Amino acid sequence: MARTSHSSLSRRTALAALAGAAAALARPAVAQPVSTLKFIPSTDLAALDPIWTTGYVVRNHGYMVFDTLFSLDSSFKVRPQMAEGHDVTDDGKTCTIRLREGLKFHDGAPVLARDCVASIRRWAARDGFGQTLMAATDELAVVDDRTLRFRLKAPFPLLPDALGKMSGPVPFMMPERLALTDPNQQIKEAVGSGPFRFLAGEWRQGAGAAYARFDGYVPRNEKPDGLAGGKVVNVQRVQWHTMADNSTAMSAMRTGEMDWLEIPAPDLLPLVARQRGYTITSLDPVGIYSLMRFNSLVPPFDDVAVRRAVLRAVNQADYLQAMAGDAKLYSECKAFFPCGTPFSTGTGSSIMDGRLDEARAMLKASSYDGRKVVILASADQPLLSPLGEVTADLLKRLGMQVDLVTTDWGSLLARRASQKPAEEGGWNIFHTTGAAAEFMSPASHVALRGTGRAGWSGWPTDARLEELRTAWFAATGEAAQKQAAAAMEQRAFETAPYVPLGQIRQPTLYRNVVTDVLQASGPVFWNLRKA
């Protein structure tokens, strides 16, 4: 057998490799499968700006596209997120925050301290906790590209908690060019530094939205925990498909067309409960807090006596049964801080006894003049859709005239932003729900403020409530904080800025091809996998 030299074999191997490469280039490329998660949100994404609105669906969109300096873990402890860390000096009156290396926006620009300063200022103009923080701040300034500094009038130990709050509006960091937008005007594009890019060309209001994994995102080298930790994305795309009809949404889950239904209608869950291939669970261990919000700016609910009459008339069980049906999924909670959270006392709740005869007498003694009460109701959210009818029936039995306006949630959000009288396109009542953890602290409770037109939709003015909130911030130790919170609850039952409607454990449904879904206060799309 003729011998072949090592050098000759190497040349032949190299030539074969080159030939193979040339042939591969000549062949048409074979597209690799794209891992796409198909998700049905609770309602349509009608806006892009999570600072301009507190709408839950916009907040969830925000957590995909944007990121925060700090975040809360599953135990509601604040942890650094975009921040590398922070230093508190000068006897607590200086807080310096250093950004992690490698952060960049979806347009390729680096995340700089000036982006964060502008973002914090815009957020603070719309948020109660932010307003409190900025009132305690002498100067918020850029130190260098990766460093920003708060100079405070007095120590503010809750500063990281403010910048890591998970209730809307969340302090998301944006490019300076977007963050300089008037806080009362919506941003026109969604460019952030979060784990997903928003695909603007695929956004169709009323139909859905799409997101792609941001390959330039650098997750923290930590396990994910709640909204904190490493946000590692294991799917290439996430598609949101709006399906206002509950039966259509469940059908899409049963045929495998969709992967995850955020809020299935409780009466439809038996269709899949006994079938293999589905997971029905609750992602939020604390639950969902529900409420009826009054517009305190305009008649008739500018009169506290009218608000108190409705507060007295409410029977929470009527609302909870309409939302959840199964008594195992709900619990009454006559409190302004959700039950099961640290500051909930229910102080003053004895007024919520559901005595309609006494409520009628209270209404008769008020300034109510027989005008129609405009109730905004949502047709496309399974939990909220029945609440308008429950309230309409209650008010009629109470002796009030009612105009029930039922729309999709996006249209409701747009109308509830109006501060005009109801007869001029405004409103009098709407209902909403949110993660109970978002309402558990005076610092983040958007509905328990008395700042008037500067506050959340409903806009009550209550100087005493604001004084009590300030006292809570100043309280030292858990016992003193609970006492201050109890005083706030007592005041809220006296002035009725809204009516607590109880708490539910909200089910969510996904196919078993989806795994590693995190427990958090809303749907998050990092960490999970799709087979």
Side-chain angles (χ1 to χ4, degrees):
M1 181 180 293
R3 298 178 62 188
T4 305
S5 71
H6 177 73
S7 58
S8 176
L9 182 61
S10 297
R11 284 193 298 271
R12 290 175 185 174
T13 303
L15 288 170
L18 288 171
L25 288 172
R27 292 193 298 267
V30 178
Q32 296 300 309
V34 175
S35 176
T36 300
L37 181 83
K38 297 181 179 180
F39 173 72
I40 306 173
S42 60
T43 189
D44 185 51
L45 180 68
L48 300 179
D49 190 345
I51 305 300
W52 179 80
T53 179
T54 57
Y56 210 54
V57 69
V58 185
R59 190 209 77 150
N60 296 341
H61 151 86
Y63 270 111
M64 297 184 76
V65 176
F66 304 101
D67 213 346
T68 54
L69 293 175
F70 298 86
S71 287
L72 294 183
D73 64 19
S74 58
S75 300
F76 309 117
K77 303 295 184 184
V78 66
R79 289 167 44 177
Q81 188 60 37
M82 294 172 71
E84 186 175 84
H86 73 289
D87 294 314
V88 179
T89 56
D90 189 24
D91 295 325
K93 293 196 292 184
T94 299
C95 180
T96 305
I97 300 170
R98 183 79 169 163
L99 297 175
R100 291 194 288 127
E101 289 189 34
L103 301 179
K104 59 183 177 181
F105 291 112
H106 301 156
D107 59 7
V111 177
L112 303 176
R114 68 169 183 260
D115 300 303
C116 299
V117 167
S119 296
I120 292 169
R121 292 189 184 282
R122 184 170 188 264
W123 157 76
R126 300 280 299 183
D127 180 76
F129 204 170
Q131 291 162 9
T132 302
L133 170 59
M134 295 310 293
T137 300
D138 266 337
E139 181 189 45
L140 171 57
V142 172
V143 177
D144 58 42
D145 282 351
R146 286 181 53 209
T147 310
L148 56 147
R149 181 176 57 213
F150 285 85
R151 293 195 185 278
L152 303 165
K153 299 173 183 176
F156 196 92
L158 292 174
L159 190 151
D161 297 75
L163 299 180
K165 69 185 287 285
M166 64 181 182
S167 54
V170 175
F172 291 118
M173 298 298 106
M174 302 178 176
E176 184 183 42
R177 61 184 176 82
L178 296 182
L180 292 177
T181 303
D182 183 331
N184 297 311
Q185 301 293 324
Q186 295 189 61
I187 59 173
K188 302 301 183 184
E189 56 181 317
V191 176
S193 63
F196 289 91
R197 292 184 297 108
F198 177 67
L199 302 178
E202 298 184 39
W203 179 37
R204 300 290 184 271
Q205 291 192 42
Y211 305 82
R213 180 175 64 197
F214 177 38
D215 292 330
Y217 184 76
V218 181
R220 297 187 69 87
N221 188 24
E222 302 167 355
K223 290 184 178 180
D225 185 0
L227 295 171
K231 299 179 179 180
V232 177
V233 176
N234 298 310
V235 293
Q236 291 168 287
R237 284 173 56 93
V238 175
Q239 295 175 352
W240 286 17
H241 294 265
T242 301
M243 295 187 183
D245 182 75
N246 296 328
S247 297
T248 301
M250 183 60 75
S251 177
M253 290 295 297
R254 297 181 70 192
T255 61
E257 180 185 351
M258 294 290 129
D259 301 313
W260 184 1
L261 174 56
E262 182 184 2
I263 304 179
D267 61 327
L268 297 178
L269 280 176
L271 294 174
V272 295
R274 294 182 177 85
Q275 293 185 12
R276 294 182 178 180
Y278 299 93
T279 296
I280 302 172
T281 187
S282 177
L283 299 180
D284 189 342
V286 181
I288 301 298
Y289 185 67
S290 54
L291 61 91
M292 176 203 303
R293 181 68 160 179
F294 301 115
N295 184 343
S296 298
L297 281 182
V298 299
F301 297 116
D302 58 342
D303 181 355
V304 65
V306 182
R307 301 198 300 270
R308 282 174 57 83
V310 176
L311 178 69
R312 181 145 215 173
V314 163
N315 177 10
Q316 286 191 343
D318 294 339
Y319 290 87
L320 294 167
Q321 289 169 7
M323 281 193 290
D326 188 348
K328 296 177 182 178
L329 294 176
Y330 67 77
S331 57
E332 293 191 23
C333 178
K334 298 174 182 178
F336 280 86
F337 295 111
C339 298
T341 61
F343 300 114
S344 181
T345 67
T347 302
S349 62
S350 58
I351 189 177
M352 288 192 69
D353 54 15
R355 295 183 182 177
L356 199 59
D357 53 345
E358 294 188 15
R360 288 193 186 106
M362 293 171 67
L363 182 65
K364 188 174 181 180
S366 75
S367 64
Y368 179 62
D369 57 4
R371 71 179 61 216
K372 282 189 176 181
V373 174
V374 174
I375 302 171
L376 302 184
S378 170
D380 58 350
Q381 294 211 50
L383 290 178
L384 295 179
S385 59
L387 300 189
E389 293 184 3
V390 176
T391 294
D393 176 68
L394 175 66
L395 296 191
K396 288 175 184 177
R397 289 186 288 121
L398 191 57
M400 305 183 84
Q401 299 296 312
V402 173
D403 181 12
L404 179 61
V405 179
T406 302
T407 65
D408 62 274
W409 183 245
S411 298
L412 187 152
L413 290 178
R415 183 163 179 175
R416 89 172 188 193
S418 173
Q419 296 183 348
K420 294 180 179 179
E423 58 270 20
E424 297 178 20
W427 58 277
N428 297 119
I429 285 176
F430 76 90
H431 307 83
T432 193
T433 61
E438 297 186 6
F439 300 93
M440 70 180 183
S441 164
S444 60
H445 199 320
V446 296
L448 205 57
R449 297 297 308 275
T451 53
R453 293 179 184 273
W456 185 54
S457 297
W459 310 288
T461 298
D462 189 342
R464 177 58 181 158
L465 184 62
E466 289 299 300
E467 290 174 3
L468 293 171
R469 182 173 179 271
T470 300
W472 179 85
F473 276 100
T476 303
E478 184 178 343
Q481 286 185 327
K482 284 187 175 181
Q483 184 177 2
M488 289 184 68
E489 279 202 305
Q490 176 70 55
R491 178 63 178 176
F493 277 111
E494 293 170 357
T495 61
Y498 69 87
V499 180
L501 299 177
Q503 289 169 232
I504 63 170
R505 285 168 290 284
Q506 179 176 287
T508 194
L509 170 69
Y510 51 87
R511 297 196 302 129
N512 288 349
V513 295
V514 181
T515 58
D516 299 329
V517 179
L518 291 173
Q519 281 206 333
S521 65
V524 297
F525 300 90
W526 53 89
N527 195 67
L528 62 76
R529 299 176 184 275
K530 181 182 175 183

